[in-house]
Amino acid sequence: MSLFNTFLLFSCSESETCFMSNRSKSRTGFTLVELLVVIAIIGVLVGLLLPAVQAAREAARRMSCSNNFKQLGLAVHNYHSAYNQLPTNYGGTTPVAPLNAGPGGVTNWWENSNFGNHELLSMLIGLTPFVEAQGTWEQISNPFPADTNNDGTIDITFPAMGPTPTPGGADRNYYSPWMTDLPFLRCPSDPGRGAPTMGRTNYAPCVGDNMNRWNGGKNGDLTVNNWAMGVQSRNRGFFIPRDVSKFRDILDGLSNTIAMAEIATDLNDGDKRTSLAVTTGGTYLSNPNHCEQNFLDPERPQFWIDPDSPGSGQSPGDEPRGLGAATSRGARWANARPIFATVNTILAPNKGVCADSWPENGAIAPPSSRHQGGVHILMGDGAVKFITDSIEAGNASAPMPNPGQKSPYGVWGALGTRASREVIDTEF
């Protein structure tokens, strides 16, 4: 060691000043540039990771939705095994007018909750005992006492199978089965919650490639009126309104026929998939695509033009749309009327919901969902498939097919019919 170095070492060992001076010159943290670089790298990583996390969450929700549908498919098959028929869509009890009904007697008995549900019940009700909802079924299938005045006394006892699943009197709001969201009927990707709807559903029965004459007959009794024959001949889907269906009636094969499909519930925002656009004069019968062609907002084609204004429904921007629960898609799980809990295979998935001025009895009601690019469907054999919006759907402007006619709505329409000899022999 040189004399100079020996002197320096000795000097530093004797002086704290030397040690502190050397330490003060060493680096003890990040520079501003280094910190900014680190922050930028973290931001880039978060930007790359966030879409992947969101996609993973949606994939999990979509899987959960598919599992719900599989449970409903098993329930349909178990129901058929137990009763040798499918659950009836538009089932329930028929009200009988009291002897003193009419002028001078009971008024508005048709809407009175004591007189049955007018055969408006969805087939979903019959599935409740088969999807671990026995408690709900027990409430529905037995008289249901309710305290409508909140005074601690029973004011009304709803009849077995419940009242009409439609808001109308304050008493119906106390029939809790109709007002409850059932978990097995809800898709986790759908954000719809609460008022103004009753209990919501994201799954609905399929009635095929037609939607005319919904209210014909009573449980298949063709002597009631001529509409009953129209129901049987024109409604060519898996479920026939107010009629008994069995697996043996599905001549095209269970694996070739759609039993149920997914629907998004209404957020009351004018979305064409969930908010009803109304035409007049039966326009939607001769051209199911009428509302899509005339009433969409060109700047936001997912929504109707000015949906809250009244109008005749015959020109762009002039379509009346019912507000709230009255015409909300998926708004009443127990109600079989098409706008609430029914689908048909006329327009392709995620197209607009369209009806005449009396939307309870008929509608263009395609499936819809909050998933990206398509919807889940349940085939008759219990298989759950994801159908894209681009499925071949024929001529959307073609009028309703006559009995025996090939579906004008392509592969999509053929999948909806049960016995039209339109078998799909390729994967879809």
Side-chain angles (χ1 to χ4, degrees), residues 110-123:
W110 180 259
E111 292 296 330
N112 192 304
S113 294
N114 291 306
F115 299 108
N117 49 56
H118 315 293
E119 291 186 318
L120 293 177
L121 302 188
S122 168
M123 50 75 63

Side-chain angles (χ1 to χ4, degrees), residues 21 79 170 398 422:
S21 177
Y79 185 101
E422 297 180 79

Side-chain angles (χ1 to χ4, degrees), residues 85-409:
Q85 70 170 69
L86 295 168
T88 301
N89 205 39
Y90 272 94
T93 55
T94 303
V96 179
L99 295 177
N100 59 344
V106 176
T107 58
N108 200 27
W109 66 272
W110 180 259
E111 292 296 330
N112 192 304
S113 294
N114 291 306
F115 299 108
N117 49 56
H118 315 293
E119 291 186 318
L120 293 177
L121 302 188
S122 168
M123 50 75 63
L124 296 171
I125 293 173
L127 299 183
T128 52
F130 300 93
V131 286
E132 299 182 0
Q134 183 68 32
T136 301
W137 171 248
E138 292 293 338
Q139 288 181 319
I140 296 171
S141 59
N142 291 289
F144 186 91
D147 175 16
T148 61
N149 292 324
N150 297 317
D151 57 4
T153 61
I154 301 301
D155 306 299
I156 186 173
T157 298
F158 295 100
M161 301 310 295
T164 302
T166 305
D171 53 347
R172 292 184 205 158
N173 295 333
Y174 289 87
Y175 190 74
S176 59
W178 293 172
M179 306 300 295
T180 304
D181 275 7
L182 302 177
F184 63 90
L185 294 179
R186 296 309 315 277
C187 171
S189 293
D190 190 291
R193 293 290 184 274
T197 67
M198 302 172 79
R200 295 176 185 245
T201 179
N202 290 110
Y203 311 108
C206 179
V207 295
D209 62 350
N210 209 316
M211 40 60 57
N212 198 12
R213 300 182 182 274
W214 294 88
N215 285 330
K218 298 176 181 178
N219 296 323
D221 183 0
L222 298 183
T223 64
V224 175
N225 52 44
N226 291 333
W227 276 33
M229 292 183 287
V231 165
Q232 285 195 329
S233 62
R234 292 185 177 275
N235 291 286
R236 312 192 298 179
F238 200 86
F239 291 94
I240 308 172
R242 290 187 176 157
D243 202 356
V244 173
S245 299
K246 301 182 179 183
F247 283 158
R248 69 180 185 184
D249 299 324
I250 317 299
L251 301 183
D252 287 352
L254 296 177
S255 62
N256 288 291
T257 308
I258 298 174
M260 300 179 68
E262 189 178 2
I263 57 175
T265 68
D266 191 22
L267 305 180
N268 202 30
D269 56 359
D271 190 316
K272 69 174 185 178
R273 303 169 300 173
T274 61
S275 300
L276 182 69
V278 182
T279 67
T280 58
T283 308
Y284 73 120
L285 293 173
S286 57
N287 179 11
N289 207 31
H290 174 79
C291 291
E292 283 263 336
Q293 291 174 334
N294 295 282
F295 299 152
L296 292 180
D297 187 335
E299 296 182 359
R300 298 193 310 156
Q302 189 67 28
F303 298 86
W304 301 119
I305 301 174
D306 193 18
D308 295 340
S309 65
S312 64
Q314 295 300 306
S315 61
D318 190 34
E319 76 290 4
R321 177 176 70 87
L323 298 177
T327 53
S328 295
R329 195 77 164 126
R332 305 172 192 171
W333 76 270
N335 197 318
R337 282 171 168 161
I339 184 60
F340 304 125
T342 294
V343 298
N344 44 39
T345 55
I346 299 172
L347 294 187
N350 286 310
K351 292 293 187 179
V353 184
C354 180
D356 212 329
S357 55
W358 189 246
E360 287 90 345
N361 296 330
I364 305 298
S368 55
S369 81
R370 305 290 178 181
H371 307 303
Q372 186 67 33
V375 300
H376 287 109
I377 61 170
L378 174 70
M379 305 303 291
D381 62 353
V384 176
K385 297 180 180 291
F386 190 80
I387 298 296
T388 64
D389 298 343
S390 59
I391 187 172
E392 197 277 308
N395 182 9
S397 300
M400 302 296 153
N402 293 317
Q405 180 182 348
K406 180 180 178 180
S407 177
Y409 310 119

